[in-house]
């Protein structure tokens, strides 16, 4: 048996609803390869023994085991979440010492340590405020020395040390702004941006967060992957925001819980193979359940938006909530049974978007005429359009407002950065920058490229820049199969150099290269250039006016996009001289 000392682990606060609890807590994630159940049982036993000896009696322990480790979570008072993390780590240290080195657990020492830590760190008034906010069903945040209750324009904020009693807080004046939650395997950022755009064009001060940034009314507030609790808090605590559109990452929900609560609507765009083997997600059913946590963030009469085209989302147990159903495949007759007094549906009828309630039917845009669908060729964006339509209708926007926003949101870098951003060079042909990073995303853009080439009668080469992260290496055979199916003429393999995720430099490009060769891809049509910008520069030296190249860029997305813009601008300047 390998030493437990070498096992990877981390603990984190659960700031909101999670797969364990409906309120705050803490979780430890331990990666193991053997004796998982017995070690988890021993860990839980020692954890419960310690917790039962401490002053806090209102707690709960839950555990899950999976093929490569286990999670143990405790529900604990909000003001003691960091102490809860310390407890989880401490018990793990004890188990490691016991199993690896036969060092007995010093229980009395542990009990003294955490009794003192609880006495030193507990904030009883903050605990009461948290409980009162939950009772009144308003959002609760602590940011540095600030307490924020409610959200957006309806929030209350105060320095923590200015609150001496519950009555210092004007509870009757506090409320939450309307918010929606968006997750899924593919399309969540596009759906988030489109939903926010429609709200903004309807003259609402809108804030949104995503894997790229936080924006408030189209102005950058913060940059980075902010689709977790930090990004949600940025948006919800902004004092000018009237509506919040929040992208929600799977990792954030699992590791830190779902910070926003009491949302008007929530959706899971779709479920496909991604993140399998991480944090107890071993199949698509597990992945759907993890992403389905967003539905727990709805207010009592909130609307769960269900994609009827995805069997894993349809199977989620959501019996007690209002629902909106959408489908790009079902006919008008087939979707009618899903309409009730509380539910509405969104679907396509002869390419026209339809919103139907129990007593109203609204016909919106022809989906092929919406810019984001690229003349109707980007079929994967049909789904995103319907999600955004359902979300904005749930928010109370009128069909006319939704139609206006759909017609104005473009398939370009300005509207939807990193998603089918098209550039035309008279020298290097047709160039597309996209963040496709998994098999479903790659298939989508290659399908679109084929349709685009046919529409524009392009007979040149089809090229691709692509790479894989270590946590997706099991998808490499499928990725190669998709490349071969679409008859890609040149593959330039790039590398996620800043996101190695357990691999070493050069490992993933080599695995990708070997799999391409194994499945019969010609070596002469293959090039390995790890740096995305250098790979793009190489492609432009090879490209001809009738060619089309898909540049799947991630770590250097901004640099690659800037390089292409500058090159094409220079071309135009030289043409006019």
């Amino acid at each position: 048996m390998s030493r437990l000392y070498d096992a990877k682990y981390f603990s984190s606060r659960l700031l909101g609803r999670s797969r364990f609890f409906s309120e705050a807590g803490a979780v430890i994630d331990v990666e193991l390869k053997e004796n998982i159940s017995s070690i988890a049982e021993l860990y839980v036993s020692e954890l419960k023994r310690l917790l039962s000896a401490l002053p806090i009696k209102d707690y709960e322990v839950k555990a899950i085991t999976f093929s490569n480790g286990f999670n143990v979570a405790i529900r604990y008072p909000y003001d003691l979440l960091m102490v809860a993390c310390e407890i989880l780590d401490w018990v793990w240290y004890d188990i490691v010492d016991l199993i690896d080195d036969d060092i007995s657990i010093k229980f009395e020492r542990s009990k003294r340590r955490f009794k003192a830590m609880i006495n030193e760190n507990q904030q009883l008034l903050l605990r009461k405020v948290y409980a009162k906010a939950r009772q009144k069903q308003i959002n609760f945040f602590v940011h540095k020395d600030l307490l924020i209750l409610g959200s957006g324009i309806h929030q209350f904020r105060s320095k923590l040390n200015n609150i001496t009693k519950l009555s210092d807080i004007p509870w009757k004046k506090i409320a939450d702004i309307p918010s929606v939650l968006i997750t899924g395997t593919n399309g969540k950022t596009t759906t988030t941006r489109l939903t926010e755009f429609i709200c903004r064009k309807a003259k609402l001060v809108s804030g949104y967060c995503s894997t790229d940034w936080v924006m408030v009314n189209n102005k950058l507030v913060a940059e980075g992957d902010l689709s977790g609790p930090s990004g949600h808090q940025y948006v919800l605590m902004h004092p000018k925001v009237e509506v919040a559109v929040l992208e929600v990452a799977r990792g954030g929900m699992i590791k830190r819980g779902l910070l926003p609560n009491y949302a008007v609507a929530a959706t899971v765009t779709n479920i496909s193979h991604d993140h399998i083997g991480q944090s107890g997600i071993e199949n698509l059913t597990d992945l759907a359940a993890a992403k389905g946590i967003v539905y727990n963030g709805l207010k009592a009469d909130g609307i769960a938006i269900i994609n009827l085209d995805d069997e894993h989302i349809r199977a989620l147990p959501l019996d007690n909530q209002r629902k909106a159903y959408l489908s790009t495949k079902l006919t008008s007759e087939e979707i009618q049974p899903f309409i009730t007094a509380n539910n509405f549906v969104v679907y396509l009828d002869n390419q026209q978007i339809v919103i139907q309630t129990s007593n109203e039917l609204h016909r919106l845009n022809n989906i092929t005429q919406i810019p984001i669908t690229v003349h109707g060729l980007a079929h994967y964006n049909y789904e995103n359009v319907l999600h955004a339509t359902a979300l904005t209708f749930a928010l109370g926007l009128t069909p006319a407002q939704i139609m206006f926003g759909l017609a104005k949101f473009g398939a370009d870098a300005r509207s939807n950065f990193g998603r089918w951003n098209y550039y035309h060079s008279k020298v290097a042909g047709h160039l597309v920058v996209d963040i496709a990073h998994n098999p479903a995303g790659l298939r989508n853009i290659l399908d679109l490229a084929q349709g685009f080439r046919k529409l524009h009668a392009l007979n040149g080469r089809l090229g691709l820049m692509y790479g894989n992260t270590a946590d997706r290496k099991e998808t490499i055979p499928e990725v190669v199969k998709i490349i071969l199916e679409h008859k890609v003429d040149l593959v330039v393999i790039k590398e996620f150099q800043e996101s190695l995720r357990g691999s070493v430099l050069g490992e993933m490009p080599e695995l990708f290269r070997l799999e391409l060769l194994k499945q019969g891809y010609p070596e002469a049509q293959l090039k390995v250039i790890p740096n995305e910008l250098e790979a793009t520069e190489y492609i432009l030296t090879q490209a001809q006016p009738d060619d089309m190249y898909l540049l799947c860029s991630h770590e250097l997305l901004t640099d690659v996009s800037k390089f292409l813009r500058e090159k094409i601008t220079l071309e135009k300047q030289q043409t006019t001289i």
Side-chain angles (χ1 to χ4, degrees):
M1 175 179 169
S2 58
R3 286 172 58 82
L4 288 189
Y5 179 83
D6 297 322
K8 294 181 180 178
Y9 74 95
F10 69 87
S11 64
S12 56
R13 293 177 298 163
L14 295 170
L15 296 172
R17 296 174 184 269
S18 65
R19 55 178 167 175
F20 299 101
F21 312 115
S22 63
E23 55 189 292
V27 63
I28 188 168
D29 184 309
V30 179
E31 293 183 21
L32 289 176
K33 295 181 179 178
E34 51 192 345
N35 300 322
I36 296 168
S37 294
S38 60
I39 292 171
E41 287 174 12
L42 177 60
Y43 178 88
V44 169
S45 175
E46 286 302 318
L47 176 63
K48 287 181 175 180
R49 182 162 76 113
L50 177 57
L51 290 172
S52 67
L54 299 177
I56 302 300
K57 300 304 178 186
D58 182 15
Y59 65 87
E60 187 177 358
V61 178
K62 289 187 178 180
I64 55 173
T65 59
F66 32 88
S67 62
N68 59 352
F70 64 86
N71 285 178
V72 176
I74 53 177
R75 178 177 57 78
Y76 223 57
Y78 183 89
D79 54 302
L80 293 173
L81 294 186
M82 292 305 296
V83 175
C85 289
E86 288 279 348
I87 291 171
L88 291 169
D89 289 344
W90 187 268
V91 173
W92 178 244
Y93 303 151
D94 278 346
I95 298 299
V96 170
D97 286 343
L98 178 66
I99 293 178
D100 281 356
D101 300 315
D102 200 25
I103 299 174
S104 60
I105 293 173
K106 298 178 176 61
F107 182 73
E108 291 301 319
R109 182 186 67 171
S110 299
K111 187 166 68 171
R112 288 194 303 272
R113 172 185 172 84
F114 287 106
K115 278 185 176 180
M117 195 175 288
I118 288 170
N119 288 334
E120 182 181 346
N121 288 277
Q122 64 184 352
Q123 301 177 60
L124 298 179
L125 179 57
L126 184 63
R127 195 180 306 174
K128 290 179 181 178
V129 173
Y130 176 77
K132 183 86 169 179
R134 282 179 53 79
Q135 178 192 341
K136 289 189 166 289
Q137 297 190 2
I138 56 175
N139 276 297
F140 167 104
F141 313 112
V142 173
H143 179 67
K144 298 179 181 177
D145 63 342
L146 282 178
L147 168 69
I148 298 103
L149 296 167
S151 53
I153 59 172
H154 302 308
Q155 70 183 268
F156 165 81
R157 63 169 59 196
S158 171
K159 288 195 172 184
L160 283 167
N161 57 15
N162 289 341
I163 305 295
T164 60
K165 53 187 183 299
L166 282 178
S167 58
D168 288 341
I169 298 170
W171 293 99
K172 292 183 179 179
K173 296 181 180 179
I174 303 170
D176 280 303
I177 57 172
S179 63
V180 294
L181 308 175
I182 301 158
T183 192
T185 301
N186 291 300
K188 53 185 177 290
T189 299
T190 296
T191 299
T192 298
R193 290 174 177 173
L194 178 55
T195 302
E196 183 275 336
F197 183 88
I198 296 170
C199 291
R200 179 158 40 90
K201 290 301 177 181
K203 307 302 183 185
L204 292 168
V205 178
S206 54
Y208 83 94
C209 63
S210 69
T211 50
D212 302 305
W213 47 56
V214 171
M215 291 268 195
V216 172
N217 238 29
N218 208 32
K219 293 183 179 178
L220 186 67
V221 173
E223 204 163 1
D225 187 347
L226 290 161
S227 56
S230 298
H232 303 154
Q233 189 163 310
Y234 264 120
V235 175
L236 293 170
M237 67 184 282
H238 196 288
K240 294 183 180 180
V241 172
E242 296 174 331
V243 60
V245 182
L246 308 174
E247 181 178 336
V248 185
R250 166 210 55 86
M253 282 190 287
I254 289 176
K255 296 172 184 176
R256 298 181 64 194
L258 183 64
L259 185 65
N261 290 288
Y262 321 119
V264 169
T267 194
V268 181
T269 57
N270 49 61
I271 299 295
S272 64
H273 199 288
D274 207 11
H275 304 294
I276 304 300
Q278 300 176 42
S279 302
I281 296 173
E282 302 189 332
N283 50 53
L284 293 180
T285 300
D286 291 341
L287 184 59
K291 290 182 180 290
I293 294 170
V294 292
Y295 296 124
N296 298 334
L298 289 166
K299 62 180 186 175
D301 61 347
I303 298 172
I305 296 171
I306 309 299
N307 181 357
L308 291 172
D309 299 338
D310 193 300
E311 60 178 323
H312 301 287
I313 299 171
R314 288 180 68 160
L316 290 172
L318 303 169
D319 296 334
N320 299 320
Q321 289 170 326
R322 292 178 62 199
K323 299 182 184 69
Y325 295 94
L326 64 85
S327 174
T328 64
K329 299 176 181 177
L330 297 182
T331 65
S332 173
E333 293 74 19
E334 290 169 332
I335 208 166
Q336 294 304 307
F338 295 95
I339 302 173
T340 69
N342 290 322
N343 299 346
F344 68 89
V345 297
V346 181
Y347 60 97
L348 297 176
D349 184 28
N350 291 323
Q351 302 297 316
Q352 196 166 24
I353 302 166
V354 176
I355 302 173
Q356 189 172 354
T357 69
S358 58
N359 54 18
E360 294 179 326
L361 187 147
H362 305 284
R363 292 189 176 275
L364 280 65
N365 320 53
N366 184 306
I367 199 160
T368 65
Q369 295 173 5
I370 295 172
I372 197 175
T373 68
V374 193
H375 310 293
L377 295 172
H379 294 115
Y380 59 90
N381 270 335
Y382 287 19
E383 199 174 78
N384 299 329
V385 167
L386 296 195
H387 280 291
T389 300
L391 288 163
T392 48
F393 191 70
L395 283 167
L397 274 67
T398 66
Q401 289 172 322
I402 297 170
M403 288 176 67
F404 182 78
L406 290 174
K408 296 295 182 181
F409 187 84
D412 54 67
R414 188 173 181 179
S415 296
N416 200 18
F417 184 60
R419 279 76 182 170
W420 192 264
N421 299 158
Y422 171 76
Y423 302 88
H424 180 238
S425 163
K426 290 184 178 180
V427 176
H430 306 267
L431 308 161
V432 173
V433 178
D434 196 282
I435 65 154
H437 59 280
N438 57 38
L442 179 61
R443 182 180 293 280
N444 284 339
I445 65 167
L446 281 169
D447 285 347
L448 175 50
Q450 284 186 334
F452 186 95
R453 295 171 78 213
K454 184 176 180 181
L455 179 68
H456 293 278
L458 300 180
N459 296 311
R461 293 190 302 175
L462 175 62
L464 174 69
M465 177 179 80
Y466 194 82
N468 298 273
T469 52
D471 57 348
R472 294 188 176 98
K473 63 183 176 183
E474 76 283 351
T475 69
I476 291 177
E478 185 180 357
V479 166
V480 172
K481 182 181 177 183
I482 292 167
I483 289 170
L484 292 171
E485 285 175 2
H486 288 81
K487 299 178 181 178
V488 176
D489 298 300
L490 174 68
V491 175
V492 178
I493 300 175
K494 64 82 175 279
E495 183 171 33
F496 286 83
Q497 296 181 310
E498 297 175 7
S499 304
L500 293 173
R501 301 181 184 180
S503 65
V504 297
L505 282 172
E507 178 183 351
M508 296 312 299
E510 181 62 7
L511 287 175
F512 189 15
R513 188 186 73 85
L514 290 174
E515 184 63 32
L516 280 159
L517 296 176
K518 178 182 176 183
Q519 292 195 34
Y521 192 83
E523 188 168 8
Q525 296 169 219
L526 187 56
K527 190 83 172 177
V528 177
I529 305 176
N531 181 277
E532 291 181 354
L533 186 56
E534 292 174 3
T536 301
E537 291 170 346
Y538 169 78
I539 285 170
L540 263 63
T541 67
Q542 304 298 306
Q544 300 296 315
D546 213 28
D547 291 350
M548 186 168 200
Y549 283 87
L550 305 181
L551 311 173
C552 295
S553 180
H554 305 88
E555 294 178 343
L556 298 180
L557 175 62
T558 300
D559 297 327
V560 168
S561 301
K562 181 182 177 183
F563 172 73
L564 292 178
R565 286 196 307 271
E566 290 177 348
K567 181 170 182 60
I568 291 167
T569 299
L570 182 60
E571 274 183 17
K572 291 178 180 177
Q573 290 171 349
Q574 292 173 339
T575 302
T576 57
I577 294 174

